[in-house]
Amino acid sequence: MPQTDTLTAAAIRQQFLDFFTEKHGHTFAPSSPVVPHDDPTLLFTNAGMNQFKDVFLGQGSREYSRAVNSQKCIRAGGKHNDLEDVGKDTYHHTFFEMLGNWSFGDYFKREAIQWAWQLLTEVWELDKNRLYVTVFEGDASDGLEADEEAEQLWRELTDIDPSHITRWGKKDNFWEMGDSGPCGPCSEIHYDSTPDGTGGDLVNKDDPNVIEIWNLVFIQFNRDKSGSLTPLPAKHVDTGMGFERITRVLQGKTSNYDTDIWSPIFDAIQDKTGAKAYGGSMEDAADIAFRVIADHIRCLTIAITDGATPSNEGRGYVLRRILRRAVRIARQTLGVDGPMLCELVPAVVGTLGDAFPELKKNPQRVAEVIKQEELAFLKTIDRGIEHFREAASGKEQVSAEDAFKLHDTYGFPIDLTQVMAEERGMTVDVAGFETLMDEAREKSRAGVEHEDAITLTPNAIDTLQKINVDPTDDSAKFEGKPLNARIRAIWDGSSFDDVASINRRVAIILDRTNHYAEQGGQVGDTGMLTIDYEPGLGVREGEGGDRFEIEQTQAIAAPAGSYVLHIGRVTSGQFKIHDRVVADVDRGKRDPIQANHTATHLLNFALRRVIGEEVEQKGSLVADDRLRFDFSSSRAMKLDEIERVDRIVNDAIEQKMDVFTDTVPLNIAQKINGVRAVFGEKYPDPVRVVSIGAPIEQIVTELDNPKWAEHSIEFCGGTHLANTEQAQHFAIVQEQALAAGVRRITAVTGLAALAAQKAGKELLQRLENAASLEAEALVSEFDDIAAVADKLSIGAVMKHRVHEKLDALREQVKQVRKQEQASNREAVVEQARSIADADSATLIVKQIDGADKDTLLAAMDVIKAKCPASAIMLLSPDQEEGKVAIVAVVPKELIGKGLKAGDWVREAAKACGGGGGGRPDMAQAGGKQPEKVPDAIDAAHAFAASKLGG
């Protein structure tokens, strides 16, 4: 074991950084976020080299040629996924740190090998006899010889035992960035921690006692798209050392989890759960749970801090799966009842906050996001576990149907079901589950499609290509000016036609279009096609008013572009293949769509200013009548936040800011300071950039300028205003929860926003005036305003103020109503006296008007006092509220004959759409159909007669 077993993890990290910065001239490069906002192709940052990818690709550079850091990494989901192994072994983690040093065209193999050996054996004093090195053995298919240079350098520059150097193939010792691009051989360093130090034969055998601790990658080739390799003009070094692994080695442990990286988190888990202390067993269920929970809370805390949010898509779904695995094992193994993961966030910040200061900025927000996710899953987890038990009972496999129900009804990700099945020695019908998921997705898509939806099938696309119909040229879509075009195809959803006749819904494909097809959340254009009569060609018989109304515009991807479908109906005349047409966009809809799209960008910008940079777009809708924006947030917005967002957007409108659009090479656009992109979107190269208030030609010459962060700059392929002034006004009309960790804002612009503002002001004025009205008028005005306050489209801030004034008036209205009720009570009691004076029969069933439940009970007391031997039922309908109040009493003698008040009111209530019950001597019920009170009275008589006879 090494002599440095008393080093703390923090000291080990710092010694690594100091070795390269102080002794070998490296620049410290802070860790990039685990959420790669500038690289939508990457789920999570999974290696130290990710932030230097542009350098290796020859698309970027740095001010330094040597770098060192500790990079935050997540490997859970996608190609690199360690999630399934967490908890089962001693060294796999979803989140881990990668210590690394890099050379960008500076030093190469000699220095990398020499310095690695110095650090391991001289600084950290590792036992040289326990170190093993692998080198590349060559590959005939690529024409690559063995990396004899690296092997010779190991022999020449170090005193490693030559027998500890072995050669391995491409799988283990040749690194590639992707299918094409920079690549090269690597040399891995392994450490033997077997008790007797005889584990050399276990190198690369996945044995927990002989693990890789450092990988030195020598990037010296470029693989082109044909697969051929050519030497790079500049050679690079990219090394990666697993921090958790080297800490384990230096602290003399046999498991990563036995180091001081984990002990504070284990202590917190024990404190919050009351479980026994972590014991390090690979078989004990509680110890496995400790490892899973500790690993997962580190991953969640880091990812949420860096801007990710649990959700149902992309990286958000990976986080939700991780969280639910931890919640399930905490609930089922450690007996945790409520949210607990959120209480572990401080322990994570305590262990990692000094290395990654961003963790200390707002850990409360991180804990709240996790808590809300826990609460959502805890609502269904027990029923899900019970369903799993039933599904697993006496079986060897969990069926696809049960797995789907666990997912769809109880929120159990399929991999969680697999874990639970594995714990019982079972399997899951994953293939069947995926089939059911595909069917569900198809039903979901079908559910939102128009009943007459038309789309191109793959066979239809093949046909278009065979008949030489090229994809549509839509370069004119941004201007939307009238355009001459020619009809290339007419498609009805199942076949191609030569003619489009009146009232038949079809899709017309033009050679070129000015219509914007639905994409990126923006709805497609509507418009009109008319025949373009060319001079000298004559006209068809009956021509002159041929019109095709475009109801939808959709783009269908094809190998060399997209076919734009102009979907609609011929309203007069007819249209044929090869006809020349004039395409007109409906500006009455296009203009407000553009206003709403530009306002959506301003809203996105304003939310980041008010709530914080962690706001991430989760979806959007840009239509002609409204805009919708879904964003990551664990809580509802405060009123002052909504007001500030409203103000920022309207300030931008009042400032009459120009809107700039241009296409920019993707690698350059991604470097613009403050630029926003939607994760998961595959952006073209070059990409279209939309900037509000800052000219793009200026932006690309000063990419790092901090002032760009003060502007809305986004990747966007949609249509926009030329100037923000054209939006006129902006108003948020609703802010609501959409899903756990996701909020939705609905807003309007233009005349709709001005109308919303006007309607809100009018309501507020009416409420101001109402306070001085006479009693009856006050109640009427209050009721009118209360009825429309939530129905009118008024600004969310204005709506809140309306409700505040309604609340302030409510007490005044309540007093007026009490006075009315007192007067009404006397009238109801007078009705009761009349009934009692006129009827002393055994059975009294009467309607009393204008009585609520309490007044009805008072009336009952009056009649009961005069008719103590009678069974009495009173019913009072309220036509305005759509309710019926029912009360009944039955004396002891009649109860003995079988008439019970609870059963009696229940039968009457059924007849008027309600229900209820109570004691045999007294009961109450309610109905929902006041117009059926006569039927309820008949039902009451019939039921009583069946019990009492006669």
Side-chain angles (χ1 to χ4, degrees):
M1 294 298 167
Q3 299 175 19
T4 49
D5 59 357
T6 57
L7 278 176
T8 65
I12 292 168
R13 183 193 296 112
Q14 194 59 50
Q15 284 187 354
F16 179 88
L17 300 175
D18 291 346
F19 177 80
F20 285 100
T21 55
E22 296 177 5
K23 294 187 176 182
H24 299 294
H26 288 59
T27 298
F28 173 73
S31 171
S32 60
V34 293
V35 179
H37 297 292
D38 59 348
D39 189 352
T41 66
L42 198 58
L43 195 64
F44 291 106
T45 299
N46 55 33
M49 56 74 57
N50 288 159
Q51 68 168 303
F52 303 118
K53 193 160 124 179
D54 61 322
V55 179
F56 295 137
L57 290 171
Q59 298 171 346
S61 62
R62 298 293 185 274
E63 295 177 354
Y64 44 82
S65 60
R66 299 180 180 188
V68 64
N69 79 356
S70 181
Q71 172 63 48
K72 299 175 292 186
C73 299
I74 290 179
R75 290 185 181 175
K79 178 181 176 183
H80 301 288
N81 184 8
D82 290 340
L83 179 58
E84 308 304 325
D85 297 314
V86 170
K88 300 175 186 177
D89 63 24
T90 62
Y91 56 93
H92 277 105
H93 313 291
T94 52
F95 164 78
F96 63 95
E97 291 182 58
M98 183 74 81
L99 302 173
N101 59 289
W102 292 270
S103 164
F104 309 126
D106 189 340
Y107 63 82
F108 199 44
K109 294 180 184 179
R110 169 177 290 273
E111 293 85 351
I113 290 171
Q114 187 173 30
W115 295 341
W117 191 253
Q118 285 177 355
L119 178 61
L120 293 175
T121 63
E122 297 177 19
V123 177
W124 286 335
E125 300 179 353
L126 286 179
D127 184 350
K128 300 171 185 177
N129 293 320
R130 289 181 176 271
L131 292 170
Y132 291 81
V133 168
T134 64
V135 295
F136 181 49
E137 70 179 7
D139 187 272
S141 64
D142 270 331
L144 292 171
E145 296 181 355
D147 191 0
E148 294 184 358
E149 179 187 7
E151 182 173 345
Q152 184 57 37
L153 287 170
W154 277 110
R155 295 174 183 271
E156 175 188 323
L157 300 174
T158 77
D159 53 352
I160 190 173
D161 182 339
S163 68
H164 287 201
I165 304 172
T166 54
R167 295 184 178 187
W168 296 78
K170 280 175 65 175
K171 176 178 176 293
D172 296 294
N173 281 81
F174 195 86
W175 177 89
E176 303 201 47
M177 182 179 290
D179 294 334
S180 61
C183 54
C186 61
S187 188
E188 296 179 343
I189 305 171
H190 298 250
Y191 185 80
D192 174 12
S193 60
T194 57
D196 57 2
T198 58
D201 292 339
L202 300 176
V203 168
N204 279 339
K205 299 292 179 61
D206 290 327
D207 188 286
N209 292 311
V210 181
I211 57 171
E212 173 200 341
I213 57 172
W214 206 346
N215 188 14
L216 315 180
V217 179
F218 309 122
I219 303 175
Q220 61 189 92
F221 299 107
N222 183 69
R223 189 183 295 278
D224 62 27
K225 292 183 179 179
S226 71
S228 299
L229 293 172
T230 54
L232 286 170
K235 298 175 181 179
H236 312 294
V237 171
D238 164 23
T239 87
M241 173 189 286
F243 174 62
E244 291 77 8
R245 294 188 179 193
I246 192 61
T247 300
R248 158 189 168 178
V249 170
L250 291 174
Q251 292 186 357
K253 308 296 184 181
T254 57
S255 166
N256 292 7
Y257 292 98
D258 292 340
T259 66
D260 66 334
I261 294 173
W262 301 92
S263 50
I265 304 175
F266 288 157
D267 290 344
I269 294 171
Q270 184 184 10
D271 177 60
K272 302 301 180 184
T273 64
K276 65 178 182 179
Y278 175 69
S281 168
M282 289 294 109
E283 289 77 34
D284 182 77
D287 285 346
I288 293 172
F290 266 72
R291 287 192 292 274
V292 169
I293 294 168
D295 171 89
H296 289 6
I297 191 59
R298 289 206 330 155
C299 181
L300 290 165
T301 302
I302 290 288
I304 295 170
T305 296
D306 281 356
T309 305
S311 67
N312 284 330
E313 296 178 351
R315 65 167 70 100
Y317 187 56
V318 174
L319 295 185
R320 180 163 287 169
R321 286 164 51 206
I322 289 171
L323 184 142
R324 293 189 173 185
R325 286 167 72 109
V327 171
R328 195 280 307 188
I329 205 166
R331 179 82 183 91
Q332 203 168 8
T333 304
L334 302 183
V336 176
D337 288 327
M340 182 272 291
L341 297 180
C342 56
E343 297 180 0
L344 303 178
V345 171
V348 177
V349 175
T351 59
L352 293 172
D354 289 340
F356 308 110
E358 59 272 19
L359 289 170
K360 297 180 178 180
K361 287 183 179 178
N362 195 357
Q364 295 82 11
R365 184 193 74 85
V366 175
E368 183 60 25
V369 170
I370 293 172
K371 181 179 180 180
Q372 293 304 317
E373 277 289 313
E374 289 186 89
L375 287 170
F377 188 41
L378 286 168
K379 290 177 182 177
T380 61
I381 187 171
D382 285 338
R383 284 178 291 148
I385 290 172
E386 183 57 35
H387 182 80
F388 176 84
R389 288 191 184 118
E390 294 171 2
S393 180
K395 300 173 185 174
E396 294 182 356
Q397 185 179 65
V398 177
S399 70
E401 292 74 17
D402 283 319
F404 181 78
K405 185 170 184 178
L406 283 166
H407 172 276
D408 196 52
T409 304
Y410 303 112
F412 281 47
I414 184 61
D415 58 314
L416 175 54
T417 300
Q418 288 177 281
V419 169
M420 295 169 68
E422 186 180 326
E423 290 171 353
R424 287 174 169 245
M426 300 174 62
T427 59
V428 179
D429 181 3
V430 177
F433 167 82
E434 292 296 347
T435 299
L436 293 176
M437 285 294 292
D438 289 341
E439 291 174 359
R441 293 186 191 106
E442 191 60 39
K443 287 178 183 177
S444 177
R445 282 193 292 269
V448 298
E449 287 177 356
H450 192 285
E451 59 181 357
D452 295 326
I454 295 177
T455 189
L456 284 178
T457 64
N459 287 339
I461 294 174
D462 289 343
T463 300
L464 287 171
Q465 292 175 326
K466 288 175 183 176
I467 60 176
N468 296 319
V469 174
D470 294 329
T472 312
D473 174 5
D474 66 350
S475 56
K477 66 186 177 185
F478 296 114
E479 295 182 357
K481 295 178 181 178
L483 182 81
N484 297 104
R486 192 176 294 278
I487 295 177
R488 298 304 314 277
I490 299 171
W491 170 253
D492 67 2
S494 58
S495 61
F496 289 101
D497 294 325
D498 291 333
V499 179
S501 53
I502 197 163
N503 284 334
R504 185 157 164 257
R505 199 162 192 267
V506 297
I508 290 181
I509 299 174
L510 306 174
D511 60 343
R512 56 200 294 254
T513 187
N514 54 356
H515 280 59
Y516 181 89
E518 180 179 347
Q519 63 180 4
Q522 179 175 330
V523 299
D525 279 332
T526 58
M528 183 76 67
L529 299 180
T530 54
I531 295 294
D532 178 23
Y533 301 109
E534 297 174 286
L537 295 183
V539 296
R540 296 193 300 261
E541 184 179 350
E543 286 175 337
D546 307 77
R547 295 167 64 87
F548 180 88
E549 290 191 5
I550 301 169
E551 302 166 354
Q552 292 175 279
T553 310
Q554 295 181 354
I556 308 298
S562 292
Y563 292 103
V564 176
L565 306 185
H566 305 80
I567 302 169
R569 290 180 172 85
V570 177
T571 57
S572 64
Q574 65 178 14
F575 288 75
K576 293 183 177 181
I577 297 292
H578 306 307
D579 274 347
R580 279 180 57 88
V581 296
V582 176
D584 283 292
V585 173
D586 182 353
R587 299 302 309 194
K589 289 192 174 181
R590 165 67 84 92
D591 292 345
I593 288 171
Q594 294 188 157
N596 285 335
H597 204 153
T598 299
T600 298
H601 283 218
L602 292 171
L603 172 61
N604 190 1
F605 171 78
L607 285 169
R608 298 199 313 276
R609 293 289 298 273
V610 172
I611 297 177
E613 286 299 319
E614 66 270 16
V615 167
E616 185 176 341
Q617 181 175 341
K618 294 297 182 182
S620 66
L621 170 70
V622 178
D624 61 307
D625 61 340
R626 70 197 186 284
L627 65 92
R628 228 170 44 203
F629 189 78
D630 303 336
F631 62 99
S632 58
S633 180
S634 61
R635 60 171 177 83
M637 291 179 68
K638 299 173 184 175
L639 183 66
D640 71 298
E641 291 175 330
I642 296 175
E643 196 165 17
R644 286 163 60 199
V645 168
D646 256 336
R647 192 184 313 122
I648 290 170
V649 177
N650 280 307
D651 284 349
I653 292 171
E654 292 170 7
Q655 289 171 23
K656 302 179 182 179
M657 303 170 74
D658 287 332
V659 180
F660 300 91
T661 63
D662 203 352
T663 54
V664 178
L666 184 59
N667 67 304
I668 294 175
Q670 288 175 333
K671 297 175 185 175
I672 297 172
N673 187 18
V675 72
R676 300 296 286 189
V678 179
F679 174 75
E681 287 286 328
K682 186 174 177 59
Y683 292 102
D685 190 4
V687 66
R688 189 164 180 263
V689 177
V690 176
S691 168
I692 300 177
I696 294 173
E697 61 267 24
Q698 183 181 352
I699 292 172
V700 297
T701 62
E702 306 173 51
L703 294 173
D704 294 330
N705 194 322
K707 71 180 179 181
W708 305 142
E710 300 300 313
H711 294 268
S712 167
I713 305 172
E714 296 191 30
F715 296 169
C716 179
T719 64
H720 285 271
L721 301 173
N723 188 284
T724 57
E725 179 187 21
Q726 296 167 297
Q728 296 180 279
H729 194 66
F730 171 86
I732 294 173
V733 296
Q734 188 176 44
E735 191 273 348
Q736 64 189 118
L738 182 63
V742 181
R743 307 292 299 181
R744 167 172 287 177
I745 281 177
T746 304
V748 290
T749 61
L751 294 177
L754 292 169
Q757 184 183 38
K758 180 182 177 183
K761 287 181 176 178
E762 288 176 351
L763 281 184
L764 286 172
Q765 188 59 54
R766 284 177 64 186
L767 284 165
E768 289 281 354
N769 298 338
S772 58
L773 293 175
E774 295 295 329
E776 188 174 338
L778 167 63
V779 172
S780 175
E781 182 73 343
F782 178 88
D783 289 344
D784 284 348
I785 296 173
V788 300
D790 288 324
K791 295 177 182 176
L792 285 177
S793 178
I794 60 178
V797 173
M798 199 77 78
K799 185 175 291 185
H800 181 85
R801 289 177 180 155
V802 167
H803 279 289
E804 281 184 332
K805 288 195 173 293
L806 281 171
D807 290 342
L809 272 181
R810 189 167 276 111
E811 189 59 36
Q812 187 178 342
V813 171
K814 188 185 293 184
Q815 294 302 319
V816 172
R817 284 195 168 126
K818 277 186 178 179
Q819 294 171 7
E820 291 177 346
Q821 287 167 358
S823 175
N824 189 51
R825 180 187 179 94
E826 187 55 40
V828 169
V829 169
E830 190 56 42
Q831 289 184 63
R833 290 194 187 104
S834 299
I835 292 170
D837 291 341
D839 196 345
S840 58
T842 302
L843 196 66
I844 301 174
V845 182
K846 295 292 182 179
Q847 174 177 328
I848 290 188
D849 296 320
D852 57 19
K853 184 183 70 173
D854 292 338
T855 310
L856 202 59
L857 289 171
M860 174 65 76
D861 289 341
V862 171
I863 300 173
K864 181 181 172 184
K866 286 201 172 187
C867 308
S870 299
I872 309 165
M873 179 182 290
L874 302 179
L875 305 90
S876 182
D878 185 336
Q879 300 291 346
E880 288 186 9
E881 295 289 331
K883 297 190 296 187
V884 181
I886 306 171
V887 296
V889 293
V890 179
K892 188 174 182 180
E893 182 183 346
L894 298 184
I895 293 172
K897 291 183 178 182
L899 181 61
K900 298 176 181 178
D903 298 336
W904 196 22
V905 295
R906 189 178 298 113
E907 288 301 313
K910 283 181 183 177
C912 57
R919 304 193 312 266
D921 62 326
M922 181 176 180
Q924 301 177 29
K928 299 177 182 177
Q929 298 168 298
E931 71 277 6
K932 291 191 175 181
V933 164
D935 296 338
I937 291 173
D938 290 342
H941 277 295
F943 183 81
S946 71
K947 299 297 182 181
L948 303 177

